[in-house]
Each structure stands twice: as C-alpha cells, then as structure tokens.
Amino acid sequence: MWNQQLVVFTLVSALYYVQAGVPLRRYETLMMQQSPQENPELGLYDDNDKVVRLTATNFNASVLEQNRSSLVEFYNTYCGHCRRFAPTYKELAAELHGWQDVVAISAIDCAAEENNGICRTYEVMGYPTMRYMGPGYKPAAGNFGQSLTSQKINEIRSQLAALIAAENQTANNPHWPNFTPVAEGETVSALFEGLHSQREHIALIYEPENSTLASETALHLLHWPAVQVRRFSEAAVATKYQLDINSNQVALVNRQNHRQLLEVSEQSSAAYAKAIENALLSLHLTPRPRLLLGKGEQAKINNATNKDIVDYVHRNKHLVYQADLEQAIRTILHNEVSKVNEIKGEQLLALQRFLTVLQRYNPLGTNGRQLVSQLKDYVVQFNQALKGADFEQELKRLEAKLGSIYSSRHFVGCIGSSPSKRGYSCSLWTLFHFMSVQAAGNEHSQDPLEVLQAMHGYIKNFFGCTDCAEHFQAMAARRKIWSVPTKDEAVLWLWAAHNEVNQRLAGDATEDAEFPKKQFPSAESCAQCHHGTASAANSEYNWNMEAVLSFLKNIHNPQFVSRYGLQHEELLQDTLEKMRAKRQISNVFSDVDMQMGMFLYAFCIIMMVLAFKLFAFKSGYRKKPYGHDLLGKV
Ligand SMILES: Cc1cc2nc3c(=O)[nH]c(=O)nc-3n(C[C@H](O)[C@H](O)[C@H](O)COP(=O)(O)OP(=O)(O)OC[C@H]3O[C@@H](n4cnc5c(N)ncnc54)[C@H](O)[C@@H]3O)c2cc1C
Ligand SMILES: *[C@@H]1O[C@H](CO)[C@@H](O)[C@H](O)[C@H]1NC(C)=O
Ligand SMILES: *[C@@H]1O[C@H](CO)[C@@H](O)[C@H](O)[C@H]1NC(C)=O
Ligand SMILES: *[C@@H]1O[C@H](CO)[C@@H](O)[C@H](O)[C@H]1NC(C)=O
Ligand SMILES: *[C@@H]1O[C@H](CO)[C@@H](O)[C@H](O)[C@H]1NC(C)=O
Ligand SMILES: *[C@@H]1O[C@H](CO)[C@@H](O)[C@H](O)[C@H]1NC(C)=O
C-alpha cells in the first residue's frame, strides 16, 4: 500500500510546486498574515488551498478598507453542510485565483473560539454564509456585506462578477478592469486613450442584460497586459464592429483600428477568455510571467535567508527583481563613479547622459528619484571636469538630506552561489534591459538610441570590468548599435547582444555552476519565444522575435518586477502610482496562468490514474514493486 501512497504523495507535492501565483505584494502580505489557528486540527482549508484563511487577528487588515473586494465564507468546521460545501469553495478559489488583485476568496471558521467576536459582529445567522465586501468596505449597522445565496460555482462566479462590475471604478487599484460599457459614439482612438502602449488590443464583448459574460472574461484575462476587455450592451455597437450578437463572437480591435472577429465555441466566460488568449498567442503576445512558489515559501517572503533566495530565484529565473535594479544603481553611484579621480571630457558627458536617462526610467522610490534628479542637476553644471571625490561628497550629502533611498541591500535575482559570483555585473545588465523597455513604452521619447547610447557611454567610461567594456564596444560596432532604427529594436538589440555574451561565456571558469549561462529566455520561461523546439545538439536558436519582445516587455513592466526579498518595501509605496500618472506603466494585471494550472492539474490526475493502473497490473505478478520503479515509469 505504501507505494500507492508514495505515488499520490509525490504527485500531490508535484502539484504544489506548479502552484502559480504572482509577485504581487498585497497578496503575498495577505497570505503571510494568515495566522495559524490555535487548534490546527480545526478549519476546513489549509495551505494547499487558494482560500485566504481569516481569523480575528487578520480579518480587519484583509477585509476592511482595501483596494479590492473580499468574498468571505463564514463557516463552522463541525457543520456537515459546510464540510460538503468546502470542496466547491476550494474549487471556486482555485478557479478565481487569477482574480486575486480584484477579489480575495477567503473564509473564517466560526467554530474557533477566538473568532467569536467577528462572527457575532457580522450577524451570521446560518452556516455557511458567503458575504461580499467591496473596496473600501467598513462595517456598519445594516452593512455586514452582501449575502450570496447560491452554492453553485457558476452562479457564485456570476454573482461575484456582477457585484464587482457594479462597483465604482476604483482608481486606486490599477488591476481593476474597465467595466464602463462602450458607447456607440466612442471612436477606437478614444478607447485606447490613456492606456499604456503595451495594451495593444481591446476585446469587445456583447453582454446582454443580466449576464456577466464579458465581466467574467475581463477578470479571467487580468494577466494579459496586451489586452483590455470591454463590454457593451447596445446593439448599435455590435453593428459598428460587425459583430453578430446572436452568435458567440469577440471583436479584437488594435490601435490601428484593425478588427479581427473571433468565433467562440460556447457561451461561457472560460471559452471567451480562451479564444482571446489564443488570438493573442498567435499574434506572439505573451501573458504576464508566472511566479512559482515552493512549499512554505510564502511564509518567508519578507524573511528570506540566502538559501531561500537562491531556491526562489531558481524557480523564478524569468523574473526581474527590484533588489537587483537598486543594487546596480547603488554600486554605480557609490563605487564606480565615485572612485574616478577626475571625470572629464567624454567621461563627463557619458555620466551626464547616463544620469539623464536614469532619471527618466528610475525604478527607485520617491527619495531615490529625488536623489538621481538632484544628482543629475549637480553633474550637468560642470562642463570641464568634476572630481570623483566631489561627486561622492554631493551623493552622500543628498542621501543624508533625503532619507532612506534603497529598499534593500542585497542581490536577489543576481545572487550568486558564493559572494564572488554574479552580483553587480548581472544587475547592470538587468538595469539596462529595464531602462530599454521603459523607453520603448514612453510615448514622449522618440530617440531609439536613448538608452543604448547611455549604456555604451557608461560601459566604456565607468564599468570596472575593463575587458568586458572592450568586448562590448567591439560587439556594439560589429552589431551596428548606432543604426538601431526603433525603440523596440533597441530592446531586442540589447537582448541579442546579451545572448551573444552568454554564449561566449557558457562553460567559462567565471560561470556560477548554480546559474549556468544559457540563451535567454529558456523554453520553460517562454515557450512562445521559441519557434519549434531547438534541439539540444543544435545550438542554433530559432527565435520568435515578436514573442521575445512581448516577453521582455512583460518581465520588465514595473508592475511585474518582483519585490521578493526587499527589506524596506515601504520606500516604494508610491512608485507605481507615480509611474502610472506619467503613463509609464499601464493598468495591468494579475497573475496566475489559470489555464496552465488547470491543465497541469488534469495532467496530474491522469498520471495518478495511470500510476494506479500500472501498480495494480504489476502487483499481479510481482510481490514487491518498489516505489522508484513506479516513479520511473511515471
Ligand atoms: C556590458 C557587459 C559586458 C560584459 N562582458 C563580459 C565579458 O566580455 N567577459 C566576461 O567574462 N564577462 C562579461 N560581462 C559579465 C557577464 O556578462 C555576466 O554579467 C556575469 O558573468 C554574471 O552572469 P550571470 O549569470 O549573473 O548573468 P548575466 O549574464 O549577468 O545576466 C543577468 C540576468 O539577465 C537575464 N538575462 C540573461 N540573458 C539575457 C538576455 N539575453 N536578455 C535579457 N535578459 C537576460 C537573466 O535573468 C540573468 O540572470 C559583461 C557584463 C556586462 C554588463
Ligand atoms: C476591527 O474593525 C472594527 C470596526 O472598525 C473595530 O470595531 C474592531 O475593534 C477592529 N478589530 C481589531 C482587532 O482591530
Ligand atoms: C458611485 O459614485 C457615485 C458618485 O461618486 C455615487 O453617487 C454612487 O452612489 C456610487 N455607486 C456605488 C455603487 O458606490
Ligand atoms: C489603496 O490605494 C490608496 C491610494 O493609492 C493607497 O493610499 C492605499 O495604501 C492603498 N491600500 C492598499 C491596501 O493597498
Ligand atoms: C434582469 O433582471 C431583472 C431583475 O431580476 C428583471 O426584472 C429583468 O426582467 C431581467 N432582464 C432580462 C432581460 O432578463
Ligand atoms: C525569520 O526567520 C528566522 C529563521 O528562519 C526566524 O527565527 C525568525 O523568527 C523569522 N522572523 C520573522 C519576523 O518571521
């Protein structure tokens, strides 16, 4: 029997590791606030579920005055009806996990004594009871949340979407979809007004009265930065976009007013979302990168050891980490620039240009933005020469004046298996990739060479790895850096140049064995980026450049830059708001690639069945099958 258990156990833990989530702070924080119940035997939900567990301790922090909604199930562990409903609620939470930036699916156990106060206050009459609390919710007499009456998944999902869509647009939640129905008179350019350049498409969906088809679809697609779903109910709008409201269709419109009609297999939000995803994939657009968490990792998000970080980064190599961007900037300013004796001539110009570009695409918090901006103002005053010591003195004066600048003091994505490995040069690449992508999304910048020129000047004049700098200049000349025609091409130029360096250094003595040099992104990180399967023997990669571009834009989108491992995240509080105001980033989205999660789930179930079959068959003629035999076959 233990073999069966082993198989199940292994598959279940495999499932756990493919749990998809997003590097979104608020959710991470929320999961961390989950305090264990006094009696761990109690409670119907555990770490393997996507249900946020509430207690008297974290209830207010999770539900009250939030920028997103909550669905709260009040239940009693011992109530049979609650137990029967629990699997449904878990399924709902898993299905709607991708909506987490807009609504948290949570539950509180009223059988736990410490929760008595909450269950009393919220006037829970029967168990289970589901209540919806909107953004900004505050409890008040007569307002203890809106009850949801159905216990069927489809109906709960639909009621929830209706409640969410009826909320006033919550401007302070960038993930909130735009539920305002499209009016007949609205032009296509009006639809795109104010949207970030990454939003290349709008999906128009007819939503009949009392239906939530389009609203649910919008929520399902929170993790696709390339599309915004808009609903409409006027037949005239359908006519305008040549949509037949009697069949299942979506109009996909782009900024050039090009329309594509998508036929959907059935009238369900899942089918609509799938049809749109497929259309985006065939346009080589990619979803937001997923976050893969290991067991127990959630609890360590703000308290990670070096080993935790290495494990996390191994699982999430495709992410860009805020900590690395900051380390690069700190090292540039404190070390590389400060240690030059006299900065003059071309070197001074290079510094001025670099600081100008950094000021424009600065990932630091408020204080850090002030620092770079004032430092640049200081440096541009000089037109002959500036002493490194004076620069350092001014840097320190400004840092003392402005207060804390850096939200962390260690590498995360660039962490090495030992302190002498990786680190700064890795973070420097990361910073320049980041800036090149920000420039591509900045509608006020027309110069395709803006970032490449700043980088070239910086590497040539300041980068302390002299042979790297020489290699880079030779490569820049060979790859015709000065003829890059567009900002998108600049992003790809840097990517290709970096891959050339990766190729050259693969297997080099300086390589960190734990982080071998590979062509980036790997097929695991971005399947769409590779045309077909590049065989291991054949190192010629067949890249899909459009998908690579979309992927690079996703991972460097400031909203998706991971804040994992930061010690002072509060310093970044308003960074996203500021960037949004400057339209440097869009109202983009949530995380889980639900489709993928479901697929893997189904896959694991099939594998389990197969494993059992195999076991049953084998045990017929073999008394002691070993666990590893079975696993080997699986
Ligand atoms: C301009 C420059 C030139 C260099 N030249 C040399 C040299 O000539 N000789 C030498 O020994 N070292 C050179 N280095 C250092 C070397 O490239 C690595 O930075 C160092 O070896 C650390 O490697 P790493 O594994 O941490 O990843 P890095 O190559 O530093 O990559 C950093 C991160 O960027 C991401 N990444 C990787 N490839 C790409 C890509 N193509 N596009 C986008 N993102 C990507 C990955 O997430 C990776 O973790 C140079 C560095 C720079 C900045
Ligand atoms: C939670 O909020 C309610 C209503 O604002 C308040 O009365 C209560 O004291 C709070 N509880 C805790 C533990 O902060
Ligand atoms: C939305 O806001 C308007 C005006 O700000 C207000 O009159 C209305 O009651 C609000 N609706 C909801 C559902 O909160
Ligand atoms: C909600 O948004 C407001 C305004 O941007 C911000 O001050 C507040 O901290 C946010 N609250 C949460 C819980 O994110
Ligand atoms: C929509 O719901 C309302 C209230 O339940 C009902 O009065 C109305 O007839 C419904 N409309 C349609 C088209 O079903
Ligand atoms: C951080 O981790 C250490 C060791 O893993 C532990 O002792 C400590 O209590 C943790 N701190 C917090 C705030 O969780």
Side-chain angles (χ1 to χ4, degrees):
M1 272 328 271
W2 67 270
N3 305 79
Q4 283 189 16
Q5 277 158 5
L6 180 68
V7 171
V8 174
F9 173 79
T10 309
L11 289 170
V12 168
S13 26
L15 244 184
Y16 202 90
Y17 276 85
V18 300
Q19 165 191 29
V22 198
L24 254 200
R25 269 338 268 182
R26 273 183 296 135
Y27 193 74
E28 291 170 348
T29 316
L30 189 63
M31 294 301 275
M32 277 191 47
Q33 286 162 350
Q34 297 192 152
S35 37
Q37 293 206 334
E38 279 173 12
N39 182 351
E41 299 284 289
L42 288 177
L44 295 178
Y45 306 104
D46 63 27
D47 281 347
N48 295 307
D49 303 316
K50 297 286 190 272
V51 177
V52 176
R53 280 164 295 153
L54 299 176
T55 62
T57 322
N58 66 7
F59 191 94
N60 281 5
S62 175
V63 177
L64 272 48
E65 300 183 64
Q66 296 301 300
N67 294 342
R68 47 133 182 81
S69 306
S70 285
L71 179 67
V72 181
E73 184 207 2
F74 296 86
Y75 70 94
N76 277 320
T77 299
Y78 53 75
C79 127
H81 196 45
C82 302
R83 285 178 174 278
R84 279 189 295 277
F85 177 61
T88 307
Y89 200 65
K90 289 179 189 187
E91 196 183 327
L92 178 82
E95 194 185 309
L96 305 190
H97 189 56
W99 298 16
Q100 70 190 24
D101 295 320
V102 168
V103 59
I105 310 294
S106 29
I108 184 164
D109 183 4
C110 294
E113 197 177 328
E114 69 264 27
N115 299 334
N116 283 352
I118 301 273
C119 302
R120 197 166 46 230
T121 303
Y122 283 80
E123 300 179 354
V124 181
M125 307 303 239
Y127 297 93
T129 284
M130 272 177 290
R131 298 266 178 82
Y132 168 86
M133 284 91 166
Y137 169 79
K138 276 187 225 162
N143 179 16
F144 294 114
Q146 178 133 1
S147 291
L148 272 74
T149 46
S150 174
Q151 288 181 4
K152 296 201 183 87
I153 267 201
N154 287 348
E155 291 176 9
I156 302 172
R157 193 203 313 110
S158 170
Q159 287 178 15
L160 196 54
L163 288 164
I164 291 168
E167 297 286 355
N168 275 338
Q169 179 87 4
T170 45
N172 56 16
N173 184 336
H175 305 286
W176 208 272
N178 184 347
F179 290 112
T180 312
V182 173
E184 187 198 351
E186 259 175 296
T187 61
V188 167
S189 53
L191 293 179
F192 280 101
E193 210 174 289
L195 293 186
H196 183 270
S197 63
Q198 230 192 317
R199 287 251 197 248
E200 297 172 39
H201 301 272
I202 289 182
L204 292 156
I205 299 177
Y206 175 63
E207 191 168 77
E209 199 183 327
N210 295 353
S211 153
T212 51
L213 181 68
S215 307
E216 289 177 33
T217 309
L219 290 160
H220 284 323
L221 291 173
L222 290 180
H223 58 295
W224 282 87
V227 73
Q228 181 176 64
V229 174
R230 295 290 303 272
R231 59 177 179 169
F232 68 91
S233 48
E234 293 173 34
V237 178
T239 313
K240 186 170 159 188
Y241 292 97
Q242 284 136 36
L243 270 175
D244 175 5
I245 58 172
N246 296 312
S247 52
N248 299 319
Q249 293 180 331
V250 178
L252 199 62
V253 184
N254 75 6
R255 288 175 181 262
Q256 289 73 46
N257 198 3
H258 176 266
R259 293 158 207 199
Q260 190 187 346
L261 210 59
L262 311 178
E263 299 289 344
V264 186
S265 58
E266 59 171 47
Q267 192 168 12
S268 73
S269 57
Y272 271 68
K274 191 79 219 154
I276 297 169
E277 284 183 6
N278 287 340
L280 296 173
L281 283 171
S282 65
L283 291 164
H284 312 301
L285 294 162
T286 59
R288 166 180 169 178
R290 294 184 305 137
L291 171 75
L292 301 177
L293 284 182
K295 204 170 178 69
E297 230 160 38
Q298 237 142 8
K300 293 185 199 147
I301 274 163
N302 289 339
N303 188 20
T305 64
N306 268 11
K307 174 154 186 330
D308 294 337
I309 295 178
V310 170
D311 288 349
Y312 188 95
V313 170
H314 266 306
R315 251 191 291 289
N316 296 285
K317 289 200 186 79
H318 54 291
L319 295 183
V320 171
Y321 297 88
Q322 174 75 19
D324 300 329
L325 297 171
E326 300 199 1
Q327 283 288 92
I329 296 172
R330 201 160 67 89
T331 310
I332 288 169
L333 301 178
H334 278 263
N335 185 276
E336 295 211 301
V337 175
S338 290
K339 78 184 169 202
V340 176
N341 184 16
E342 201 177 27
I343 307 166
K344 56 176 190 278
E346 185 195 312
Q347 209 176 12
L348 182 57
L349 264 176
L351 179 60
Q352 292 167 342
R353 189 170 285 139
F354 170 76
L355 288 175
T356 305
V357 169
L358 180 61
Q359 178 190 19
R360 233 167 260 162
Y361 309 119
N362 189 343
L364 297 173
T366 310
N367 296 348
R369 284 197 302 275
Q370 298 244 336
L371 172 73
V372 172
S373 143
Q374 294 183 24
L375 209 50
K376 186 213 86 186
D377 291 346
Y378 171 77
V379 168
V380 296
Q381 300 170 72
F382 297 86
N383 43 35
Q384 299 295 322
L386 161 65
K387 286 197 164 44
D390 290 344
F391 176 89
E392 183 175 29
Q393 197 184 2
E394 177 66 5
L395 172 65
K396 293 198 166 146
R397 188 187 70 81
L398 287 170
E399 285 187 348
K401 184 184 95 179
L402 294 166
S404 301
I405 308 283
Y406 308 98
S407 67
S408 90
R409 292 274 175 136
H410 56 203
F411 294 104
V412 172
C414 288
I415 196 168
S417 59
S418 75
S420 63
K421 301 253 162 77
R422 310 188 73 223
Y424 174 58
S425 62
C426 166
S427 69
L428 194 57
W429 277 120
T430 307
L431 178 64
F432 283 112
H433 288 300
F434 175 84
M435 294 202 295
S436 76
V437 170
Q438 305 320 303
N442 175 9
E443 57 200 43
H444 303 299
S445 149
Q446 302 311 328
D447 177 10
L449 293 178
E450 187 185 15
V451 172
L452 292 184
Q453 194 175 25
M455 175 177 180
H456 190 272
Y458 183 84
I459 298 291
K460 180 176 174 194
N461 292 288
F462 295 96
F463 190 28
C465 169
T466 313
D467 64 321
C468 300
E470 282 163 8
H471 273 132
F472 184 76
Q473 287 174 77
M475 175 170 68
R478 180 162 39 76
R479 287 180 166 270
K480 303 197 169 49
I481 192 173
W482 309 121
S483 330
V484 170
T486 65
K487 292 182 293 175
D488 280 353
E489 290 291 336
V491 172
L492 287 171
W493 187 94
L494 196 54
W495 161 78
H498 189 172
N499 265 346
E500 182 184 320
V501 177
N502 291 339
Q503 175 109 33
R504 179 157 46 85
L505 295 179
D508 186 78
T510 60
E511 186 173 74
D512 186 335
E514 283 223 38
F515 296 91
K517 295 262 183 318
K518 294 217 180 92
Q519 293 297 287
F520 183 93
S522 69
E524 301 96 82
S525 300
C526 176
Q528 301 93 337
C529 293
H530 299 260
H531 276 308
T533 44
S535 66
N538 171 13
S539 61
E540 280 302 301
Y541 280 78
N542 192 0
W543 296 106
N544 176 345
M545 302 300 244
E546 288 156 89
V548 169
L549 182 63
S550 167
F551 176 83
L552 292 171
K553 286 185 177 181
N554 276 341
I555 61 171
H556 294 95
N557 183 322
Q559 245 173 324
F560 307 152
V561 167
S562 174
R563 296 187 172 186
Y564 178 79
L566 298 184
Q567 292 122 344
H568 299 285
E569 202 196 335
E570 66 280 3
L571 294 172
L572 301 170
Q573 210 91 70
D574 61 343
T575 301
L576 291 179
E577 270 90 57
K578 288 269 162 54
M579 297 187 108
R580 203 168 292 127
K582 286 207 256 163
R583 294 225 202 120
Q584 283 173 1
I585 59 173
S586 58
N587 284 0
V588 232
F589 294 120
S590 161
D591 67 356
V592 183
D593 195 343
M594 191 66 67
Q595 262 21 59
M596 186 65 177
M598 285 308 190
F599 168 76
L600 284 165
Y601 182 72
F603 178 77
C604 285
I605 295 208
I606 292 169
M607 283 317 212
M608 258 190 242
V609 171
L610 283 179
F612 281 141
K613 285 236 155 109
L614 187 65
F615 170 71
F617 174 66
K618 287 222 153 186
S619 58
Y621 60 89
R622 196 167 138 186
K623 276 217 174 87
K624 270 189 115 194
Y626 292 96
H628 60 252
D629 286 345
L630 286 175
L631 293 175
K633 297 264 178 359
V634 171

